[in-house]
Amino acid sequence: MLPEFKNKLLLETALTHRSALNEKKSNARVSNERLEFLGDAVLELSTTKFLFEMFPKEPEGILTAYRSSLVKTTTLARIAIKLGLDKMLFISKGEEATGGRTNVGILADVTEAVLGALYIDQGSKAVDELLEKILFPEINTIIENKLYKDGKSFLQEVVQAKNLETPTYQVISEVGPDHDKEFAVTVTIGNKVIGRGNGKSKQQAQQAAAIEALKKFDAS
């Protein structure tokens, strides 16, 4: 599903986590961080254009909510797995041993890096075409399940409507250096954990936990 790259080293760089550099896991001389920076902007522009054209009557606020849901860390991590980037990723033995290939932050980052590399290699049209296949169809699920809403606020509404106790959030782990932490958070109602989420900030992880909890309410 990933397009054939003209510049193979560019793709290899996009797949190179900084932990792999010391072990010379790839031919890349630098990590994928700069390409991730570019890919983040490319992703936002492509997604904005898609939503602007797809929903001509929706106001800015709704379009922003849709976009946030499409480009959030957990969604991008799923895209990385769809593309097989988790298996192609160059990471150190230590990072591999601690679950680096399933780390949502690393997977989201490599997705952005590959998009940045694809933009350099083949231009914005190639990026748009790839996202139309692997990312933009996610908008249907997002709208159907109201995942574009603020997860915590929406969960609070549901809980109040059911006369349940107020949800409480707890950080259960913090992994990584200060500049690149990964947080895991649980959300509890009463004495029961009903959701768990991960994110690069406590707020992101709380939102992910709330959305996971909302899915359980929908299924009940």
Side-chain angles (χ1 to χ4, degrees):
M1 191 178 289
L2 191 66
E4 188 77 19
F5 270 66
K6 300 170 187 174
N7 185 335
K8 307 295 184 185
L9 182 58
L10 185 61
L11 175 59
E12 198 164 340
T13 301
L15 295 167
T16 301
H17 186 259
R18 64 175 176 272
S19 68
L21 293 178
N22 291 334
E23 296 180 9
K24 297 184 179 178
K25 292 279 187 176
S26 76
N27 294 313
R29 295 184 178 181
V30 295
S31 75
N32 62 9
E33 290 175 350
R34 280 175 55 84
L35 286 172
E36 177 200 339
F37 169 76
L38 174 62
D40 177 64
V42 170
L43 171 65
E44 181 162 329
L45 177 57
S46 183
T47 304
T48 300
K49 287 193 300 181
F50 161 72
L51 293 171
F52 185 82
E53 293 168 0
M54 184 76 176
F55 303 100
K57 295 183 179 179
E58 293 289 11
E60 177 192 359
I62 292 295
L63 294 178
T64 299
Y66 287 172
R67 184 178 62 195
S68 295
S69 296
L70 276 174
V71 304
K72 68 184 180 182
T73 301
T74 50
T75 306
L76 295 182
R78 287 201 307 273
I79 297 308
I81 294 169
K82 276 186 184 179
L83 291 172
L85 303 183
D86 54 327
K87 297 180 177 64
M88 299 163 65
L89 184 63
F90 296 101
I91 55 176
S92 68
K93 290 180 181 178
E95 196 70 56
E96 180 113 39
T98 56
R101 292 191 189 277
T102 59
N103 182 298
V104 293
I106 291 176
L107 292 177
D109 290 347
V110 75
T111 299
E112 291 181 337
V114 166
L115 291 174
L118 182 59
Y119 175 78
I120 293 172
D121 195 64
Q122 299 174 35
S124 59
K125 184 178 179 182
V127 173
D128 292 344
E129 289 174 351
L130 178 61
L131 292 177
E132 283 167 8
K133 294 176 184 175
I134 63 167
L135 178 63
F136 297 160
E138 297 263 342
I139 194 63
N140 298 320
T141 301
I142 287 168
I143 293 173
E144 281 177 20
N145 296 297
K146 297 183 173 64
L147 301 181
Y148 59 90
K149 287 195 171 188
D150 175 86
K152 290 178 68 178
S153 298
F154 193 32
L155 179 60
Q156 183 68 29
E157 291 175 18
V158 171
V159 166
Q160 286 177 345
K162 294 179 178 289
N163 293 316
L164 298 174
E165 294 182 32
T166 300
T168 58
Y169 297 84
Q170 181 179 3
V171 177
I172 58 172
S173 72
E174 298 181 23
V175 180
D178 287 342
H179 70 280
D180 190 26
K181 277 191 181 296
E182 179 77 18
F183 294 87
V185 167
T186 57
V187 56
T188 303
I189 294 179
N191 296 318
K192 185 177 180 181
V193 174
I194 61 166
R196 173 177 172 142
N198 296 74
K200 290 187 173 181
S201 67
K202 292 178 184 177
Q203 292 77 14
Q204 279 187 359
Q206 288 173 350
Q207 290 289 348
I211 288 170
E212 183 66 28
L214 285 166
K215 291 177 183 176
K216 292 181 180 178
F217 277 111
D218 286 341
S220 61

